Each structure stands twice: as structure tokens, then as C-alpha cells.
Amino acid sequence: MNFSSKLLENAVAEFAKLPGVGQKTALRLVLHLLNQEKTEVEKFSSSISKLRNEIQFCSICQNISDQAICEICASPKRDHTTICVVEDTRDVMAVQNTNQYNGVYHVLGGLISPMDGIGPSDLEVDSLVERIRENGVKEVIFALSATMEGDTTLFYLHKRLKDYNIIISTIARGIAFGGELEYVDEITLGRSIATRVPYESSLSR
Amino acid sequence: MNFSSKLLENAVAEFAKLPGVGQKTALRLVLHLLNQEKTEVEKFSSSISKLRNEIQFCSICQNISDQAICEICASPKRDHTTICVVEDTRDVMAVQNTNQYNGVYHVLGGLISPMDGIGPSDLEVDSLVERIRENGVKEVIFALSATMEGDTTLFYLHKRLKDYNIIISTIARGIAFGGELEYVDEITLGRSIATRVPYESSLSR
């Protein structure tokens, strides 16, 4: 592209580094910001630099937090004997939004992915084992993506945790609510037949 | 959404104000930034605030520029007697990329749109008239979008400029190169028949 200004070119280049944002979208976003009030743009830019500089990670569950210990880990109302293990903070939000879970979380910060050079030591695995060893945890629920990386991580963590006296479970996989059978892939359908549940217990969900 | 951090929530809210960016995309972008080095994020955020605070608009053509007069208006190699009138800086870039135009530009900064409360006084119309009156301009080419707003603006500007001794033209409308007839809408096709050109002159383009 033929920019008439170096400042514009820089800003577009920075925006185009974001995932899923190409040059044309970046230009559109930058021109939008250019049309806003100076104070608005200042708010935008400072919210980002503040976030990066001041954010903390909960020392217990490693979730993003404003304090040293996050609200969930600090809450006496939650069941601290059940830990839901997730990949990142988005998954914490997803599980929280279901209103079906009252335990605490543990954020791994990623999934094992040899292709991307991410091994167990890059994730918050040791801190999870530590929590289980020390704090009378009764159940660990894995809520990981049903991908190759998710399954690898699940397999590894199960091996690390199976000798502790805890229940290890993983979220159910199957047909989504509202899903039509003819569009479900064979693996999901096959597994959901193999792991069928009694009708009565399916109602109680 | 249930954010675990106010800083995160603020940054997501700021991103979600951008056009075409919803809450989920905003969260994805913010988490991406959170995974980057501090210096990278600082570069991102400062490029934006710098752009907004230091950008200038060329005092002749009103295009975005780093100097008081933009490169195109300052260039002695360009034909300063032909002005191409466009909506915004993106259109300057689009025309520049064709390598077919060697004149100068005039950026209106928008199009007349009564629905959005944008009238001629909100656009750089007077500065255009001024340029034509004073500087021996021979031709004005309108390169505006073929929308209701573009046509309204064209109609208004033509009325304002028709008494000056200049050629007023507008970019050709018709079927795009590579376009298949059966997919062209009736209005475009009808107009392109009405404004047909001799075969020889179509070759010389």
C-alpha cells in the first residue's frame, strides 16, 4: 500500500500484526480511530498499555486477575475441593457463564503441542500437582478442547495425577444441544453411542 | 461476559468499540496482546496515540500527511491543473495504486449524507472551490462511490462548480473487468449500454 504518512503506516502495521487482521482491515480500524476524539483514542491506547503492564496472574489458579489472588480463589462460597482444569481465561469465562459449576479453577496457560514446541514445562502443571498434593482436593475435572492438543494434555495430566487419591473426570463429549444427527461427524456420533447414558440421568442435567 | 479482571474488561470494551469488532473478537485480540512482550505492546499502543496526536492534514488537498503539505501536493512532477476529488485517504491510495493518474487530489473527508447529519459544510467543499478559483485548474475528476451518498455529493458539487471554466468529469461506471454479464445488476448493465463507448476507444485504455 501507498501510505501518505509514516505515522499512518506504522499504526496500520501494528494493527495488522493482530490475529485475523489484514492490511485493509487494519487501515479501516486506524482511520476509524483517527476520526475519534483525542481523549477517546487516549483511553483506547492507555487501556492496552495499562493492561499489559499492570495485569497479574492469580498465584493459586493462574487466572488473569487484578489482585494477587483472584476473586474465585478468594471466595469462601466456592467449593475448593473441586478443581476445573482449563486452557486459558476464556475457558474460565465459558464455564462460569454456564452457572453450572461452583468449584475453583486451574488455568494451564496453553495445551501440550509438540508441533509448536510447547511441552508440559511451559504449562502450569507443577503448580496443579502441588495444589492437589497439599490442599485436600477431591475431584479434578478436565475441561479441555476436544482437539489433538487437548487429548495429549489430558493423557499426560492423567498420568501425572492418577496416583493421587482423587476423582479425575473430563467434560462429556457428544452431540451439541440442538444438533441434527445427519450433520454430526462419525467420530463424535460413534463415541456418543459408546458412552451413552441412561435416559433418566440425561434428564437430570 | 464474566471478566476476572477490570483491566481486561476495560481493554476488551475499548476494542469492542472498533467497527466490526464484537466482544468475542475483542477478547481474542486483547489476550493476544497480553501474550506479547511488553515492548511490543508498548509499540502498538504508542503508535496509535502518536498517530492521533501528531497527524496532520495537508493544507492544500486535506489528505492525511506527516507534513503541512503532503508529498503529492509538493511534487513538481505531478500535474497540478487536474484535481481528483475523493471521499477519504483510502480512495487516494486506491487511485494511486492504479498508476494511471498523475494529477493531484482533494479529499472531501466524507460524503453528503442527510441521514447521518452530514451536509456540505461538514466537508472540504469550500477549500475545493477556493483551489479551483485561484490556481488555474483545468479539470476536476470525481472519483466517488457509486452510492446514494456519492451521487448526492456529485450532484451538489457539480452545481457548485459548473460556472467555472473547467472540465468536470466522473470516473466511468460499468461492468468490472472479469465480470460476467449474467451476474451484473440491471441498473449497472442498463447504464453501461446507455453510456457505451466506441470499440476503438475502449481498446486504448
Side-chain angles (χ1 to χ4, degrees):
Chain A
M1 278 202 256
N2 246 320
F3 292 96
S4 58
S5 146
K6 258 270 167 279
L7 290 168
L8 182 67
E9 189 170 356
N10 280 345
V12 169
E14 288 295 331
F15 260 99
K17 285 183 195 164
L18 295 174
V21 177
Q23 286 260 315
K24 283 211 170 180
T25 310
L27 179 60
R28 196 159 55 89
L29 297 178
V30 168
L31 290 179
H32 170 85
L33 285 174
L34 209 48
N35 276 332
Q36 305 304 305
E37 294 292 327
K38 276 192 187 182
T39 52
E40 280 298 308
V41 178
E42 209 42 66
K43 256 170 71 187
F44 178 85
S45 116
S46 80
S47 77
I48 294 157
S49 81
K50 231 177 130 174
L51 172 78
R52 185 65 188 83
N53 289 321
E54 296 179 15
I55 202 87
Q56 299 189 45
F57 293 89
C58 170
S59 59
I60 300 176
C61 73
Q62 316 299 333
N63 192 13
I64 290 171
S65 170
D66 291 345
Q67 297 101 33
I69 290 179
C70 77
E71 278 178 26
I72 293 174
C73 286
S75 166
K77 287 189 184 152
R78 298 193 75 109
D79 171 11
H80 291 260
T81 63
T82 307
I83 297 178
C84 179
V85 177
V86 294
E87 179 184 348
D88 62 21
T89 192
R90 259 178 299 187
D91 300 335
V92 173
M93 287 162 69
V95 176
Q96 279 293 87
N97 283 337
T98 65
N99 288 322
Q100 293 283 319
Y101 180 68
N102 194 38
V104 291
Y105 294 89
H106 191 85
V107 177
L108 293 174
L111 295 174
I112 296 174
S113 173
M115 292 280 280
D116 303 313
I118 302 174
S121 60
D122 299 313
L123 308 178
E124 293 291 341
V125 174
D126 291 337
S127 55
L128 173 64
V129 175
E130 198 76 8
R131 280 177 82 179
I132 290 165
R133 193 183 306 163
E134 291 184 353
N135 294 323
V137 171
K138 289 183 188 146
E139 180 170 5
V140 170
I141 302 170
F142 290 106
L144 302 177
S145 296
T147 57
M148 176 88 95
E149 290 79 16
D151 284 347
T152 308
T153 311
L154 197 49
F155 182 77
Y156 173 82
L157 288 176
H158 180 254
K159 232 174 61 184
R160 283 283 298 266
L161 300 181
K162 72 177 189 303
D163 294 335
Y164 295 96
N165 184 25
I166 51 171
I167 303 166
I168 298 178
S169 57
T170 173
I171 53 170
R173 293 177 186 177
I175 301 164
F177 281 85
E180 293 189 43
L181 267 206
E182 58 176 315
Y183 299 120
V184 176
D185 65 288
E186 303 84 24
I187 297 177
T188 303
L189 189 53
R191 286 293 302 269
S192 74
I193 293 171
T195 60
R196 63 193 176 278
V197 290
Y199 180 60
E200 283 84 5
S201 83
S202 81
L203 290 176
S204 70
R205 304 250 160 121
Chain B
M1 277 203 255
N2 247 320
F3 291 97
S4 59
S5 146
K6 258 268 166 278
L7 291 168
L8 182 68
E9 189 171 356
N10 280 345
V12 169
E14 288 296 330
F15 260 99
K17 284 182 194 165
L18 296 174
V21 177
Q23 286 260 317
K24 284 211 170 180
T25 310
L27 180 59
R28 194 160 56 90
L29 298 178
V30 168
L31 291 179
H32 170 84
L33 285 174
L34 209 47
N35 277 331
Q36 305 304 304
E37 293 292 327
K38 276 191 187 182
T39 52
E40 279 298 309
V41 177
E42 210 41 67
K43 257 171 69 187
F44 178 85
S45 118
S46 80
S47 77
I48 294 157
S49 80
K50 230 176 131 176
L51 171 78
R52 185 63 188 82
N53 289 321
E54 296 180 15
I55 203 87
Q56 299 189 46
F57 293 88
C58 170
S59 60
I60 300 177
C61 72
Q62 315 298 333
N63 193 13
I64 289 171
S65 169
D66 291 346
Q67 297 101 34
I69 291 178
C70 75
E71 278 177 26
I72 293 174
C73 286
S75 164
K77 286 188 185 155
R78 298 194 74 110
D79 171 10
H80 291 261
T81 62
T82 307
I83 297 179
C84 178
V85 177
V86 294
E87 179 184 347
D88 63 20
T89 192
R90 260 177 297 187
D91 300 336
V92 173
M93 287 162 68
V95 176
Q96 279 292 87
N97 283 337
T98 66
N99 288 321
Q100 294 283 319
Y101 180 68
N102 194 39
V104 291
Y105 294 90
H106 191 85
V107 177
L108 293 174
L111 294 174
I112 296 173
S113 172
M115 293 279 282
D116 303 312
I118 302 173
S121 60
D122 300 312
L123 308 179
E124 293 291 342
V125 174
D126 291 339
S127 55
L128 174 65
V129 175
E130 198 76 8
R131 280 178 82 180
I132 289 164
R133 193 183 308 162
E134 292 186 351
N135 294 322
V137 171
K138 290 184 188 145
E139 180 171 5
V140 170
I141 302 169
F142 290 106
L144 303 177
S145 297
T147 57
M148 177 89 95
E149 289 79 16
D151 284 347
T152 309
T153 311
L154 196 49
F155 183 76
Y156 174 82
L157 288 175
H158 181 253
K159 232 172 61 185
R160 282 282 298 266
L161 300 180
K162 70 179 190 303
D163 294 335
Y164 295 96
N165 185 25
I166 51 171
I167 303 165
I168 298 178
S169 57
T170 172
I171 53 171
R173 294 178 185 176
I175 302 164
F177 281 86
E180 293 188 44
L181 266 207
E182 58 176 316
Y183 300 120
V184 176
D185 67 289
E186 302 84 24
I187 297 177
T188 303
L189 188 53
R191 286 291 304 269
S192 73
I193 292 171
T195 60
R196 63 193 176 276
V197 291
Y199 181 60
E200 283 83 5
S201 83
S202 80
L203 288 178
S204 71
R205 304 242 161 128

